[in-house]
Amino acid sequence: MSRGLVSFPVIVVFVVIGFLYYTTVFVVVDDWLGLRTSPGILNAGAFTALASMVVFSYLLAITKDPGSVPSSFVPDIEDSESPIHEIKRKGGDLRYCQKCSHYKPPRAHHCRVCKRCVLRMDHHCVWINNCVGHGNYKAFFVFVLYAVIACIHAMVMLLSAVTHDVNKDQQLGGGSSRTLYILCGTILVPLTVALSILLGWHIYLVFHNKTTIEYHEGVRAMWLAEKVGHIYRHPYDLGVYENLVLLVT
């Protein structure tokens, strides 16, 4: 099961989402276009839809089980179609978790925070108070995608409002509005950069059907393969199209 909604980082995320939504719609858009004009209603409606998708996908990433390993799982060592690298460790033993006291299937790893093995584990994310794994990776990816789009939309509206007022030699409302503009920009700029980098990283992982853990394992595997004159290829990479199909299905 997931670890739940109550954690300080999760509360921070909800507070930031709420602040950015309020400031963008009821301060920036209202000052710039007005919430009773067609452009104002259109921008506010579009941003509200984006914010709703951000919250919905975020809740899914938090509450969905990332994937538990069945206690009855036993690897089929007689299955000729199961590659050795999927069920063997470096010493040649079957992948067995001493902490959970059961075998681990391919791509499963033990999370020290959640205190259990997670299927196709990518990483443990404090911002969702949960592991990112097989069961909630799609929700996590969609959350980051919508968050980047929403942040870019908010930044465009913020810059447009500031530019509009500067061109008309107007000041940004009263003191409280000016403070909200500054706070909004101060949060949006680094947040947009960080989320864009995160999104780019996970697009790369999706294209190659890798997890973050497998990427780091692959770096070492590639180095070891080159030492003996071999070429390492990620065993789960089916090609960009097939990898994308796996994500959306």
Side-chain angles (χ1 to χ4, degrees):
M1 295 295 292
S2 62
R3 291 165 59 84
L5 293 170
V6 182
S7 76
F8 180 72
V10 170
I11 293 172
V12 169
V13 172
F14 278 117
V15 169
V16 169
I17 291 174
F19 172 77
L20 291 178
Y21 176 78
Y22 171 81
T23 305
T24 302
V25 173
F26 297 103
V27 178
V28 175
V29 175
D30 194 24
D31 287 349
W32 174 36
L33 299 170
L35 290 176
R36 294 188 178 182
T37 65
S38 295
I41 293 173
L42 182 63
N43 276 279
F47 190 74
T48 298
L50 283 173
S52 299
M53 292 305 300
V54 168
V55 172
F56 178 70
S57 55
Y58 183 60
L59 287 171
L60 282 180
I62 294 173
T63 57
K64 287 194 71 173
D65 189 338
S68 300
V69 178
S71 58
S72 59
F73 172 79
V74 177
D76 186 1
I77 60 175
E78 297 182 356
D79 185 0
S80 60
E81 295 184 0
S82 294
I84 293 178
H85 58 256
E86 288 191 338
I87 62 174
K88 301 281 187 177
R89 295 180 63 88
K90 286 184 290 186
D93 299 326
L94 296 173
R95 299 184 72 229
Y96 187 84
C97 180
Q98 299 291 343
K99 296 177 181 178
C100 295
S101 300
H102 61 59
Y103 290 102
K104 293 190 292 186
R107 313 186 81 176
H109 295 274
H110 185 86
C111 176
R112 291 176 293 178
V113 180
C114 295
K115 295 180 173 57
R116 62 170 177 152
C117 288
V118 176
L119 295 173
R120 198 181 179 275
M121 179 178 172
D122 186 90
H123 68 287
H124 182 89
C125 179
V126 297
W127 299 107
I128 67 171
N129 196 30
N130 199 5
C131 273
V132 177
H134 173 75
N136 65 347
Y137 184 81
K138 182 178 178 180
F140 174 80
F141 183 87
V142 171
F143 160 66
V144 176
L145 175 63
Y146 276 117
V148 169
I149 297 173
C151 284
I152 292 174
H153 189 193
M155 281 194 64
V156 169
M157 290 190 290
L158 180 64
L159 291 173
S160 298
V162 173
T163 303
H164 177 265
D165 287 341
V166 169
N167 289 339
K168 289 200 170 186
D169 295 326
Q170 295 176 349
Q171 291 188 342
L172 298 172
S176 59
S177 294
R178 192 179 300 110
T179 301
L180 289 174
Y181 270 76
I182 294 172
L183 283 175
C184 186
T186 302
I187 294 173
L188 268 178
V189 173
L191 184 62
T192 303
V193 172
L195 287 175
S196 296
I197 293 172
L198 182 63
L199 177 62
W201 169 245
H202 280 279
I203 288 174
Y204 165 80
L205 293 177
V206 168
F207 280 0
H208 294 83
N209 194 15
K210 291 182 181 180
T211 65
T212 299
I213 293 175
E214 288 168 353
Y215 170 81
H216 292 293
E217 290 179 340
V219 171
R220 174 172 171 77
M222 186 180 300
W223 176 73
L224 292 173
E226 288 178 351
K227 284 185 65 176
V228 295
H230 294 161
I231 298 176
Y232 172 78
R233 183 181 182 276
H234 182 57
Y236 302 104
D237 188 355
L238 304 176
V240 174
Y241 177 76
E242 292 297 332
N243 293 339
L244 287 173
V245 170
L246 285 176
L247 175 67
V248 300
T249 54

